[in-house]
Amino acid sequence: DGWPGDHASEVNELDLELYASLAVLVIGLSKSGFGGGVGIVAVPLMAYALPVDRAVGVMLPILIAADAFATWQHRGAWSTRHIRNTVIGALPGIAAGTIILWMLRDSGRLVPVLNGVVGAICLLFVALQVWRMAGGRVPRVPDTTASGVTAGVLCGAVSTVSHSAGPIMSIYLLEHRLEKRVLVGTLVMFFFVINVAKMPTYVGLGLIDADTLLTSALYFPLVPIGGWLGL
């Protein structure tokens, strides 16, 4: 039947506020470098408090605020080459994601597909972590311009549809053995750029409006709290 947020009237309002607040704190924690891929749970947490199509709209300004805060925390500690290659690929990926969202909205299947995409990515990431913990090896991604552009395309499309591209970018960068602060800074700067680039799509498709912006603003104070805790 979809996320519990689709039946928000049946859930205690205080519980909804708690889940949304936890989502924002998790975003701040993960953006600052603590917890790595745990940031992916922010989307289902927020979608527990709100219908998923509203949740993704509320989250984007929060993600941009968290990116900006984390960029300041890790200022100068990033790989310009990796950012350049992945952003080049992310731009057509965002365009593809925009087309997908537009088609889903017009077909009336936006909410169920968003539910499926977010859930599938979360489960795949958990499966990958379990595989690694059990001693399995993940094929290395070559550190080339082509691999960076390809990772960027995938991240741009998935991020536009569901804000769930963190594991893709992490897997790509982790195989390049960057120094840990540079790794975090590169992730943060990359997502800051593409999240800002996604704003016209979300506004144009009605996923962000005055109501979602007001809701986002209510949670902005939790962004630096999560960021400082994460650092």
Side-chain angles (χ1 to χ4, degrees), residues 197-222:
K198 285 155 47 180
M199 280 294 290
T201 291
Y202 274 61
V203 173
L205 293 177
L207 295 172
I208 290 180
D209 54 27
D211 183 53
T212 65
L213 286 173
L214 177 60
T215 303
S216 300
L218 293 175
Y219 293 101
F220 280 160
L222 292 175

Side-chain angles (χ1 to χ4, degrees), residues 125-164:
F125 188 61
V126 170
L128 177 63
Q129 294 292 77
V130 171
W131 172 256
R132 282 179 160 172
M133 291 171 64
R137 297 180 63 86
V138 177
R140 295 197 62 179
V141 180
D143 190 2
T144 63
T145 299
S147 66
V149 172
T150 301
V153 171
L154 291 173
C155 286
V158 172
S159 182
T160 301
V161 173
S162 64
H163 304 320
S164 302

Side-chain angles (χ1 to χ4, degrees), residues 3 8-9 13 17 21 49 52 69 85 101 115 121 132 135 154 159 161 166 187 191 224 229:
W3 295 104
S9 62
E13 186 173 342
E17 294 291 339
S21 299
V52 68
F69 188 76
N85 292 340
L101 282 177
N115 282 336
I121 291 174
R132 282 179 160 172
L154 291 173
S159 182
V161 173
L187 282 166
F191 281 109
L229 287 172

Side-chain angles (χ1 to χ4, degrees), residues 21-151:
S21 299
L22 282 173
V24 179
L25 287 173
V26 165
I27 289 170
L29 284 164
S30 63
K31 292 289 186 182
S32 293
F34 179 80
V38 73
I40 196 172
V41 306
V43 182
L45 276 173
M46 186 65 79
Y48 199 93
L50 297 166
V52 68
D53 55 329
R54 304 301 285 171
V56 293
V58 168
M59 282 187 64
L60 185 53
I62 294 171
L63 287 167
I64 292 173
D67 286 328
F69 188 76
T71 298
W72 174 77
Q73 287 180 313
H74 299 281
R75 52 195 177 278
W78 49 66
S79 168
T80 302
R81 178 173 63 87
H82 288 92
I83 293 171
R84 181 185 65 247
N85 292 340
T86 49
V87 167
I88 288 172
L91 296 178
I94 291 171
T98 299
I99 294 171
I100 292 170
L101 282 177
W102 174 69
M103 293 173 63
L104 290 174
R105 186 195 63 174
D106 284 1
S107 70
R109 297 193 56 79
L110 180 60
V111 171
V113 171
L114 284 179
N115 282 336
V117 169
V118 173
I121 291 174
C122 288
L123 290 174
L124 284 171
F125 188 61
V126 170
L128 177 63
Q129 294 292 77
V130 171
W131 172 256
R132 282 179 160 172
M133 291 171 64
R137 297 180 63 86
V138 177
R140 295 197 62 179
V141 180
D143 190 2
T144 63
T145 299
S147 66
V149 172
T150 301

